[in-house]
Amino acid sequence: MGNDLSGIHHVTAIAGDPQRNLDFYTGVIGLRLVKITVNFDDPGTYHLYYGDGQGRPGTILTFFPWPDGAKGRNGPGQATIVAFAVPLDGLQFWAERLEDYKISYEGPIARFSDRILTFLDHDGLQIELVGQRRLSGNGERLGAVPAKYAVPRICGVTLAQEELGPTEQMLTGLLGFRSVDQVSNRYRYVTGDQSAESFVDVLVMPGMLQGRVAVGTIHHVAWRTPTDRAQLDWREDLLRSNTRVTPVQDRQYFRSIYFREPGGVLFEIATDPPGFTVDEAAENLGARLMLPPWLEPRREAIEADLPALRLPTSRPAFVRAPGQ
Ligand code: ZN
């Protein structure tokens, strides 16, 4: 049995137009564009990474933009919602901000001990802002979001499933999640401790049309592991339980293994090292297209194929919160 997974590392979704995606997540949500690269498995497609000012694991939401891609469909076998933690007393700020941008939202909705705002991005991806007590903003002012209300991290995902059993068994058995709560058809599991704790809500919806991964849906969910050694242990555990798992893949900013949980959702286990500053200094993150060494020789052709992007004009100003 590996060590516990220390929360979410990143969530990857599929967007339509890359510019709208970039403008929304940096402009409205106030995340930092921490890396512009390409899909290493499909270098004709951007891979855009957003996160906190330093691109710490746990804060990262990434997108493959498919400008001409078909629209996806949420349904069983899919991760359907990504949730960001925000300070509870920041929900009012966020509600007003969404109104300012004419983004319709629902909430605050009470769920377990949280209060939640829910809305869709331009491509229909479902987002939740989860107001949590004992949480303050991430201490960084990015654009117009005050530091005290800034999104500190991703705190969970929702999976839609045809049935609970097999998914629950993998979460609480092999993967070491703790079953913590349930209301109607929603079952909550958590992993990681305190500041990095992340939840998986399994929504059981038998008989619904299966989901289809395309524009506006989540592609996969990545869980954190601190070292390459721990990742290899996870791989051994997965193989031993007859789960098909990929070999370790070098993703330049982390190393990854991929497998499907029994309900069909693609999971990844990603290492914390080396991180996003491996090829750019922290202050320059996201300033230009970065390619891994094996694609660098093809830079000219790759750049010619990608649509131009207008980057956020103001560099983020970092304001440290007291005591950090
Ligand atoms: Zn990933």
Side-chain angles (χ1 to χ4, degrees):
M1 182 66 75
N3 298 312
D4 282 355
L5 296 167
S6 32
I8 285 176
H9 184 286
H10 64 270
V11 173
T12 293
I14 298 168
D17 179 62
Q19 189 68 57
R20 286 188 93 181
N21 178 262
L22 194 157
D23 292 346
F24 182 81
Y25 287 97
T26 60
V28 181
I29 306 299
L31 301 178
R32 181 175 186 190
L33 176 64
V34 294
K35 195 65 66 181
I36 311 169
T37 184
V38 293
N39 181 345
F40 295 170
D41 301 324
D42 172 19
T45 301
Y46 275 119
H47 195 179
L48 304 177
Y49 288 77
Y50 307 98
D52 72 354
Q54 293 155 68
R56 276 178 285 226
T59 71
I60 305 292
L61 178 62
T62 94
F63 288 90
F64 300 130
W66 297 354
D68 304 313
K71 197 123 178 57
R73 179 179 61 228
N74 279 321
Q78 243 181 352
T80 53
I81 308 173
V82 57
F84 290 106
V86 296
L88 185 61
D89 66 1
L91 278 188
Q92 184 60 30
F93 165 85
W94 279 103
E96 287 167 14
R97 185 167 178 79
L98 293 172
E99 281 163 27
D100 287 347
Y101 282 92
K102 307 213 171 356
I103 295 160
S104 58
Y105 65 91
E106 286 178 46
I109 298 161
R111 183 191 300 153
F112 302 129
S113 59
D114 303 323
R115 297 288 176 277
I116 297 154
L117 299 180
T118 131
F119 56 96
L120 306 176
D121 78 2
H122 294 292
D123 295 308
L125 181 67
Q126 302 186 75
I127 312 278
E128 291 177 345
L129 296 180
V130 180
Q132 297 185 336
R133 278 175 239 282
R134 297 194 311 276
L135 181 73
S136 53
N138 67 5
E140 295 162 352
R141 186 181 180 91
L142 296 175
V145 179
K148 64 179 174 173
Y149 300 142
V151 171
R153 65 188 186 91
I154 293 175
C155 62
V157 288
T158 298
L159 314 184
Q161 297 289 6
E162 189 75 26
E163 53 175 341
L164 179 68
T167 295
E168 177 179 65
Q169 210 175 353
M170 178 180 266
L171 287 172
T172 60
L174 183 68
L175 299 181
F177 282 66
R178 308 179 290 283
S179 169
V180 291
D181 225 333
Q182 185 242 326
V183 58
S184 65
N185 65 334
R186 178 185 297 271
Y187 298 80
R188 175 160 292 191
Y189 308 88
V190 297
T191 190
D193 50 28
Q194 294 182 352
S195 64
E197 189 179 86
S198 302
F199 69 78
V200 168
D201 279 1
V202 178
L203 268 182
V204 183
M205 34 178 59
M208 301 282 286
L209 206 54
Q210 285 288 115
R212 189 180 60 220
V213 173
V215 173
T217 65
I218 292 172
H219 186 269
H220 65 266
V221 180
W223 304 99
R224 290 175 65 176
T225 196
T227 63
D228 292 281
R229 180 66 250 169
Q231 183 181 57
L232 290 176
D233 289 343
W234 281 112
R235 190 164 184 280
E236 286 296 305
D237 289 347
L238 286 159
L239 288 173
R240 220 172 292 136
S241 74
N242 295 316
T243 305
R244 277 155 50 117
V245 55
T246 66
V248 174
Q249 320 226 341
D250 182 1
R251 296 313 194 186
Q252 179 76 353
Y253 310 107
F254 41 86
R255 284 167 287 277
S256 302
I257 56 175
Y258 302 85
F259 60 99
R260 287 191 190 275
E261 58 81 34
V265 179
L266 185 60
F267 278 0
E268 171 183 347
I269 294 177
T271 56
D272 282 1
F276 293 96
T277 52
V278 72
D279 59 358
E280 289 177 296
E283 61 271 25
N284 296 329
L285 289 175
R288 59 186 284 263
L289 178 72
M290 301 306 294
L291 295 174
W294 62 93
L295 290 177
E296 195 59 60
R298 294 165 55 194
R299 173 177 283 273
E300 212 172 316
I302 288 171
E303 284 185 345
D305 270 356
L306 291 167
L309 275 184
R310 196 174 56 252
L311 300 184
T313 45
S314 59
R315 305 301 303 157
F318 297 100
V319 180
R320 287 254 150 252
Q324 275 199 322

